[in-house]
Amino acid sequence: MLKKYSLLVLLCCSTTLWAQAPQKLNSVEIYEQVQKLNFLGKVLYVAAHPDDENTKLITYFSNHYHAQTAYLSLTRGDGGQNLIGNELREKLGAIRTQELLAARRIDGGEQFFTRANDFGFSKEPNETYAIWNKKEVLKDVLQVIETYRPDIIINRFAHNTPGSTHGHHTASAQLSLEAYAITPYQPKRVFFNTSWWFYGSQEAFDAADKSNLVAIKSNVYYPLKGKSNNEIAALSRSQHKCQGFGTLGSRGEETEYLELLKGDLPKNSSIFEGIDTTWNRVAGGKEIGTLLYTVEKNFNFENPSVHIPNLVAAYNLIQKLKDSHWKAIKSKQILKIIEACSGLFMEAVADTETTTKDSKFNLSIEVINRSASTVKLISVSALNIQDATKNVVLKNNEKLNFQFKDCAIASTTDYSNLFWLKEKKSEGMYHVSDKSLRILPEISSNYPVVFTLEIEGTQIEFVKNISYKFNNPDDGETYVPFTVLPSVTTAIAPKVVIFNNAQPKEITVVVKAHRAGVSGKLSLQLPEDWSVSPTVIPFTIAAKNEDQKFTFKVFPGKKEVTTMLKALVEIDNQTIDAELITIQYTHIPKQTILVPSEAKLVKLSNETKAKTIAYIMGAGDEVPKSLENLGYTVTLIQPEAITLEKLAPFDAVLLGIRAFNVVDELKFKNKILFEYVKNGGNVIVQYNTTNNLVTKEIAPFELKLSNDRVTNEKAKVTFLAPDHKVLHYPNKITENDFTGWVQEQGLYYPNKWGNEFIPILASHDEGETEKKGSLLIAKFGKGNYIYTGLSFFRELPEGVGGAYRLLANMIALDN
């Protein structure tokens, strides 16, 4: 019985979280859903990353027209930076996926993706296509268009100005047009969402020919919401918290411009001109419209339940539609309205947040009808329990509670994980074998609970997901996803282990039990010429969620190499090599990720001289952990605690990435840093962006940041100051130290500096001039001020030996 709902669950999941507090719509929200039910038109907005979307337009089409409006972000934003934590790459992509879903819940839109991996900045689309599999990304864009079937496509970026913006941006517009050209389903129009920015200045835009542009007065006021369009859009955009995109709302008239690329230019500002967006659009829709337009026109805000008979009648007519596309969409929409008008509440809550395939748990069911409508609970189906509690009349406001005891998860069930991370990815693409999942932001729970009800004589089935809830002392009723985990997971610390010589190092493995009474054997998988002691550690863990730490001594091989170590657990005749990662922030649901339990082993010749480091965190990175891995003693200094006396004992002071962008105290404390250098200290400042600097005085001498970057991590590096101490002490730096770098060599290099600075390195991307600002060193008094745009924050956690060696030399200057 449950299998038939898999498609419905997938169709619904573009705006549904794994587990969140159930929606309880008020009368205004129900009325707005009726308006959306009565509009048969769609818009698809296309760009490359989370934050590229114009939330003002998504809000406008979704709330002014009541059109289905979706955003297709080609990537999940995995290649960016994180201003709220240290999660990067796939973990950052998980956060940004959820932030987009949070944004869509506010502006009323839906969300799609492709399998393209945000591998980092590229300067033009051919560079992008060289890493993405263009053919496969195009397939995904085509799948979105043919699944969603938009009437209007709007590109955020220009398709014909390669090199003027991020290569991903241009690629998103090009792929959108290529998909439009080959899809059998032909959208009515394609636009480019232009503005003065694309013309270089407001003056140039004012003087431009606008005969091919549609001007939209988008910042309308919504009395039912008490907000302007742009106030809602600002709330939506402000969900991009890991990018620091909190935005002020605005009121008053504003204009958005759409440049026509394909199709005919509408004669007025309505982009839906010539498109039938009424129920007459579908065969058999006229009778449905007669019912539903009456509901909308005469909507009873005090008692929406009076509309249930007409809504149920319309539901029955929708089931007879031959147009399967609109039938599925409108069935989903009207079910939500019927549920809300009835005051229906249906919930299935597990008595545990996590379970394993060999564990039992109980499921608490709650059903209540809070209306005068005639409602009968026919059955509830979940997991191994079928058709329970038949034919119970649900009287107005009388709650029905019961339990399913000793529930179990099928042995064939996948462990809880983000679907796009289950298969091994390439540099440019995620691999998702199940085509039906590829374009989705996430999948709903694999554990649907089907409530079959009879409402006004019609059987209707509602699908909910098993969830887990508890009372949080700070937040009250709190929902988190219900997850299925292996019997145990392991975590290795540290994640990168540096061996400077033949001496062994201790590695800790934490084993966590996800059921009670777990016994097994723990071992490490190593390269052939490496060894470990002991080879196997037996363990027994009595309680669920208990963890135990075990220590191994690892002996390196003779060759300089970067290799992998894996933690293996033998238990119940199976081998488990999974690490559990959880991501939890207040603005998104808790995320559960399972990855291979691995660590990098790096054998290299690397000397360190200075030993004590003060680290002032910026936007968040893992550099301090990496430095500790080299044997440094690292102390995190809070910005407000920066004093000359506090810094004086340290051999070096490092500033984390974007510190001068996000640490307000540095507008005052920068002088203390300069004084520390003057007295003989060593300050190393990692990259900052050109925008939103808290002070222009980021160095004791002239230093101007730019957008210069070298995106090709394999770009040849030349030494501009080959005799400088930083290239010789305590490690001899050669070109080989720049092999194996990941994502990009560096970013936001200075392009202008005072004569006091010595540029050390130069490199460039193909077809560009040399960039000389990646590593600048200046003497100031007795000490050294160093500014670097090299991407140490990416290289060190990846175990790039050359990055460790070079940073060790920078720290050791004059120590």
Side-chain angles (χ1 to χ4, degrees), residues 762-799:
S763 63
H764 62 88
D765 286 320
E766 185 176 354
E768 294 191 353
T769 58
E770 278 198 325
K771 305 296 184 288
K772 300 180 180 181
S774 64
L775 179 56
L776 302 173
I777 300 177
K779 289 294 294 183
F780 182 55
K782 299 177 182 179
N784 298 282
Y785 179 93
I786 304 173
Y787 188 93
T788 180
L790 292 171
S791 59
F792 288 109
F793 73 104
R794 296 195 190 280
E795 312 312 320
L796 300 183
E798 292 296 324

Short mmCIF file of all heavy atoms in Angstrom, two decimals, residues 762-799:
data_model
loop_
_atom_site.label_atom_id
_atom_site.label_comp_id
_atom_site.label_asym_id
_atom_site.label_seq_id
_atom_site.Cartn_x
_atom_site.Cartn_y
_atom_site.Cartn_z
N ALA A 762 54.48 34.38 -7.70
CA ALA A 762 53.64 34.83 -8.81
C ALA A 762 53.07 33.62 -9.53
O ALA A 762 53.74 32.59 -9.66
CB ALA A 762 54.43 35.70 -9.78
N SER A 763 51.85 33.73 -9.98
CA SER A 763 51.22 32.70 -10.81
C SER A 763 50.04 33.34 -11.51
O SER A 763 49.67 34.49 -11.20
CB SER A 763 50.79 31.49 -9.98
OG SER A 763 49.80 31.87 -9.05
N HIS A 764 49.43 32.62 -12.41
CA HIS A 764 48.28 33.19 -13.11
C HIS A 764 47.49 32.09 -13.78
O HIS A 764 48.00 31.01 -14.09
CB HIS A 764 48.73 34.22 -14.16
CG HIS A 764 49.60 33.66 -15.25
ND1 HIS A 764 49.08 33.12 -16.41
CD2 HIS A 764 50.94 33.52 -15.34
CE1 HIS A 764 50.07 32.69 -17.18
NE2 HIS A 764 51.22 32.92 -16.55
N ASP A 765 46.23 32.38 -14.01
CA ASP A 765 45.39 31.49 -14.79
C ASP A 765 45.69 31.69 -16.27
O ASP A 765 46.24 32.72 -16.68
CB ASP A 765 43.91 31.76 -14.50
CG ASP A 765 43.48 31.25 -13.14
OD1 ASP A 765 43.94 30.15 -12.77
OD2 ASP A 765 42.70 31.93 -12.45
N GLU A 766 45.30 30.71 -17.06
CA GLU A 766 45.59 30.74 -18.49
C GLU A 766 45.01 32.00 -19.14
O GLU A 766 43.86 32.37 -18.90
CB GLU A 766 44.99 29.51 -19.17
CG GLU A 766 45.35 29.38 -20.64
CD GLU A 766 44.82 28.10 -21.26
OE1 GLU A 766 44.27 27.26 -20.52
OE2 GLU A 766 44.96 27.94 -22.48
N GLY A 767 45.85 32.67 -19.95
CA GLY A 767 45.41 33.85 -20.67
C GLY A 767 45.41 35.13 -19.85
O GLY A 767 44.97 36.17 -20.35
N GLU A 768 45.91 35.09 -18.62
CA GLU A 768 45.91 36.27 -17.77
C GLU A 768 47.33 36.70 -17.45
O GLU A 768 48.30 35.95 -17.63
CB GLU A 768 45.15 36.00 -16.47
CG GLU A 768 43.67 35.75 -16.68
CD GLU A 768 42.92 35.76 -15.37
OE1 GLU A 768 43.56 35.82 -14.30
OE2 GLU A 768 41.67 35.70 -15.42
N THR A 769 47.46 37.92 -16.95
CA THR A 769 48.76 38.42 -16.52
C THR A 769 49.10 37.82 -15.16
O THR A 769 48.24 37.32 -14.44
CB THR A 769 48.74 39.95 -16.40
OG1 THR A 769 47.71 40.32 -15.47
CG2 THR A 769 48.45 40.58 -17.75
N GLU A 770 50.37 37.90 -14.81
CA GLU A 770 50.82 37.34 -13.53
C GLU A 770 50.20 38.08 -12.36
O GLU A 770 50.09 39.31 -12.36
CB GLU A 770 52.34 37.40 -13.42
CG GLU A 770 53.05 36.27 -14.13
CD GLU A 770 54.48 36.11 -13.64
OE1 GLU A 770 55.11 37.13 -13.33
OE2 GLU A 770 54.93 34.95 -13.55
N LYS A 771 49.80 37.31 -11.36
CA LYS A 771 49.30 37.88 -10.12
C LYS A 771 50.40 37.71 -9.07
O LYS A 771 50.84 36.60 -8.78
CB LYS A 771 48.02 37.15 -9.67
CG LYS A 771 46.91 37.14 -10.72
CD LYS A 771 46.40 38.54 -11.03
CE LYS A 771 45.23 38.53 -11.99
NZ LYS A 771 45.60 38.18 -13.37
N LYS A 772 50.83 38.84 -8.49
CA LYS A 772 51.99 38.82 -7.61
C LYS A 772 51.64 39.07 -6.14
O LYS A 772 52.54 39.21 -5.31
CB LYS A 772 53.00 39.89 -8.06
CG LYS A 772 53.50 39.67 -9.50
CD LYS A 772 54.49 40.74 -9.91
CE LYS A 772 54.99 40.51 -11.34
NZ LYS A 772 55.97 41.54 -11.76
N GLY A 773 50.36 39.12 -5.82
CA GLY A 773 49.97 39.49 -4.46
C GLY A 773 49.60 38.35 -3.55
O GLY A 773 49.03 38.57 -2.48
N SER A 774 49.93 37.10 -3.92
CA SER A 774 49.49 35.96 -3.11
C SER A 774 50.22 35.87 -1.78
O SER A 774 49.68 35.34 -0.81
CB SER A 774 49.68 34.66 -3.89
OG SER A 774 51.06 34.43 -4.15
N LEU A 775 51.46 36.35 -1.71
CA LEU A 775 52.24 36.31 -0.47
C LEU A 775 53.13 37.53 -0.41
O LEU A 775 54.08 37.66 -1.18
CB LEU A 775 53.07 35.03 -0.41
CG LEU A 775 53.96 34.85 0.84
CD1 LEU A 775 53.13 34.93 2.12
CD2 LEU A 775 54.72 33.53 0.78
N LEU A 776 52.80 38.44 0.49
CA LEU A 776 53.54 39.69 0.66
C LEU A 776 54.10 39.76 2.07
O LEU A 776 53.39 39.49 3.05
CB LEU A 776 52.61 40.89 0.43
CG LEU A 776 51.90 40.96 -0.93
CD1 LEU A 776 50.89 42.10 -0.93
CD2 LEU A 776 52.92 41.14 -2.05
N ILE A 777 55.37 40.13 2.18
CA ILE A 777 56.03 40.19 3.49
C ILE A 777 56.70 41.55 3.65
O ILE A 777 57.42 42.01 2.75
CB ILE A 777 57.09 39.08 3.64
CG1 ILE A 777 56.42 37.70 3.50
CG2 ILE A 777 57.79 39.19 4.99
CD1 ILE A 777 57.38 36.55 3.55
N ALA A 778 56.46 42.18 4.78
CA ALA A 778 57.07 43.48 5.05
C ALA A 778 57.69 43.48 6.44
O ALA A 778 57.08 42.99 7.40
CB ALA A 778 56.02 44.59 4.96
N LYS A 779 58.91 44.02 6.54
CA LYS A 779 59.51 44.26 7.86
C LYS A 779 58.87 45.51 8.44
O LYS A 779 58.64 46.50 7.75
CB LYS A 779 61.01 44.47 7.73
CG LYS A 779 61.81 43.23 7.38
CD LYS A 779 61.77 42.18 8.49
CE LYS A 779 62.48 42.66 9.75
NZ LYS A 779 62.50 41.58 10.80
N PHE A 780 58.54 45.43 9.73
CA PHE A 780 58.00 46.60 10.42
C PHE A 780 58.61 46.59 11.81
O PHE A 780 58.30 45.71 12.64
CB PHE A 780 56.49 46.55 10.48
CG PHE A 780 55.87 47.75 11.16
CD1 PHE A 780 56.15 49.04 10.72
CD2 PHE A 780 55.01 47.60 12.24
CE1 PHE A 780 55.58 50.14 11.33
CE2 PHE A 780 54.44 48.69 12.87
CZ PHE A 780 54.73 49.98 12.41
N GLY A 781 59.50 47.51 12.05
CA GLY A 781 60.25 47.47 13.29
C GLY A 781 61.08 46.21 13.34
O GLY A 781 61.83 45.90 12.41
N LYS A 782 60.95 45.45 14.41
CA LYS A 782 61.75 44.23 14.59
C LYS A 782 61.06 42.99 14.02
O LYS A 782 61.67 41.92 13.98
CB LYS A 782 62.02 44.01 16.08
CG LYS A 782 62.81 45.13 16.75
CD LYS A 782 62.96 44.84 18.24
CE LYS A 782 63.71 45.95 18.95
NZ LYS A 782 63.83 45.68 20.42
N GLY A 783 59.79 43.14 13.62
CA GLY A 783 59.03 41.95 13.24
C GLY A 783 58.62 41.93 11.79
O GLY A 783 59.09 42.71 10.96
N ASN A 784 57.71 41.02 11.45
CA ASN A 784 57.25 40.82 10.07
C ASN A 784 55.73 40.86 10.01
O ASN A 784 55.04 40.21 10.82
CB ASN A 784 57.72 39.46 9.54
CG ASN A 784 59.22 39.35 9.49
OD1 ASN A 784 59.87 39.88 8.60
ND2 ASN A 784 59.79 38.65 10.48
N TYR A 785 55.24 41.61 9.04
CA TYR A 785 53.82 41.60 8.73
C TYR A 785 53.64 40.86 7.41
O TYR A 785 54.24 41.23 6.40
CB TYR A 785 53.26 43.03 8.62
CG TYR A 785 51.79 43.06 8.29
CD1 TYR A 785 50.83 43.12 9.29
CD2 TYR A 785 51.35 43.00 6.96
CE1 TYR A 785 49.48 43.12 9.00
CE2 TYR A 785 50.00 43.00 6.66
CZ TYR A 785 49.07 43.06 7.67
OH TYR A 785 47.74 43.06 7.37
N ILE A 786 52.84 39.81 7.44
CA ILE A 786 52.65 38.95 6.26
C ILE A 786 51.18 38.95 5.86
O ILE A 786 50.30 38.71 6.71
CB ILE A 786 53.11 37.50 6.53
CG1 ILE A 786 54.56 37.48 7.01
CG2 ILE A 786 52.93 36.63 5.30
CD1 ILE A 786 55.03 36.11 7.47
N TYR A 787 50.92 39.21 4.60
CA TYR A 787 49.55 39.08 4.08
C TYR A 787 49.56 38.02 3.00
O TYR A 787 50.39 38.04 2.09
CB TYR A 787 49.03 40.40 3.50
CG TYR A 787 47.56 40.30 3.15
CD1 TYR A 787 46.60 40.70 4.07
CD2 TYR A 787 47.13 39.77 1.94
CE1 TYR A 787 45.24 40.57 3.80
CE2 TYR A 787 45.78 39.63 1.65
CZ TYR A 787 44.84 40.04 2.58
OH TYR A 787 43.50 39.89 2.31
N THR A 788 48.61 37.07 3.10
CA THR A 788 48.55 36.01 2.10
C THR A 788 47.11 35.73 1.68
O THR A 788 46.21 35.66 2.51
CB THR A 788 49.19 34.71 2.62
OG1 THR A 788 49.10 33.71 1.59
CG2 THR A 788 48.51 34.21 3.88
N GLY A 789 46.92 35.60 0.37
CA GLY A 789 45.64 35.17 -0.17
C GLY A 789 45.66 33.71 -0.55
O GLY A 789 44.66 33.18 -1.05
N LEU A 790 46.79 33.03 -0.31
CA LEU A 790 46.85 31.60 -0.60
C LEU A 790 45.81 30.86 0.24
O LEU A 790 45.57 31.20 1.39
CB LEU A 790 48.25 31.06 -0.28
CG LEU A 790 49.39 31.56 -1.19
CD1 LEU A 790 50.73 31.13 -0.64
CD2 LEU A 790 49.21 31.06 -2.61
N SER A 791 45.22 29.83 -0.34
CA SER A 791 44.06 29.18 0.30
C SER A 791 44.50 28.13 1.32
O SER A 791 44.13 26.96 1.21
CB SER A 791 43.15 28.57 -0.76
OG SER A 791 43.86 27.60 -1.52
N PHE A 792 45.26 28.55 2.33
CA PHE A 792 45.68 27.63 3.37
C PHE A 792 44.48 26.99 4.06
O PHE A 792 44.53 25.83 4.49
CB PHE A 792 46.54 28.36 4.41
CG PHE A 792 47.92 28.72 3.92
CD1 PHE A 792 48.25 30.03 3.66
CD2 PHE A 792 48.88 27.74 3.71
CE1 PHE A 792 49.52 30.38 3.20
CE2 PHE A 792 50.15 28.06 3.27
CZ PHE A 792 50.47 29.38 3.01
N PHE A 793 43.38 27.74 4.17
CA PHE A 793 42.21 27.21 4.87
C PHE A 793 41.60 26.02 4.14
O PHE A 793 40.88 25.23 4.74
CB PHE A 793 41.17 28.32 5.05
CG PHE A 793 40.44 28.73 3.79
CD1 PHE A 793 39.12 28.32 3.57
CD2 PHE A 793 41.06 29.52 2.83
CE1 PHE A 793 38.46 28.68 2.41
CE2 PHE A 793 40.40 29.89 1.68
CZ PHE A 793 39.09 29.47 1.46
N ARG A 794 41.88 25.89 2.84
CA ARG A 794 41.43 24.71 2.11
C ARG A 794 42.51 23.62 2.08
O ARG A 794 42.21 22.43 2.15
CB ARG A 794 41.07 25.09 0.67
CG ARG A 794 39.90 26.05 0.54
CD ARG A 794 39.39 26.07 -0.90
NE ARG A 794 38.44 27.13 -1.12
CZ ARG A 794 37.15 27.08 -0.77
NH1 ARG A 794 36.69 26.01 -0.14
NH2 ARG A 794 36.34 28.09 -1.01
N GLU A 795 43.75 24.03 1.94
CA GLU A 795 44.84 23.07 1.72
C GLU A 795 45.19 22.28 2.98
O GLU A 795 45.44 21.07 2.91
CB GLU A 795 46.08 23.80 1.19
CG GLU A 795 45.84 24.77 0.04
CD GLU A 795 45.00 24.19 -1.08
OE1 GLU A 795 45.17 23.01 -1.43
OE2 GLU A 795 44.14 24.93 -1.62
N LEU A 796 45.24 22.95 4.13
CA LEU A 796 45.67 22.25 5.35
C LEU A 796 44.72 21.13 5.74
O LEU A 796 45.17 20.02 6.04
CB LEU A 796 45.85 23.26 6.49
CG LEU A 796 46.88 24.38 6.26
CD1 LEU A 796 47.00 25.24 7.51
CD2 LEU A 796 48.24 23.82 5.86
N PRO A 797 43.39 21.35 5.76
CA PRO A 797 42.50 20.23 6.10
C PRO A 797 42.54 19.09 5.09
O PRO A 797 42.12 17.98 5.41
CB PRO A 797 41.10 20.90 6.11
CG PRO A 797 41.36 22.34 6.37
CD PRO A 797 42.66 22.62 5.65
N GLU A 798 43.04 19.37 3.88
CA GLU A 798 43.16 18.32 2.86
C GLU A 798 44.52 17.63 2.91
O GLU A 798 44.81 16.76 2.09
CB GLU A 798 42.93 18.91 1.47
CG GLU A 798 41.51 19.36 1.23
CD GLU A 798 40.52 18.21 1.26
OE1 GLU A 798 40.87 17.10 0.81
OE2 GLU A 798 39.38 18.41 1.74
N GLY A 799 45.37 18.03 3.85
CA GLY A 799 46.66 17.37 4.02
C GLY A 799 47.66 17.68 2.92
O GLY A 799 48.51 16.84 2.60
#
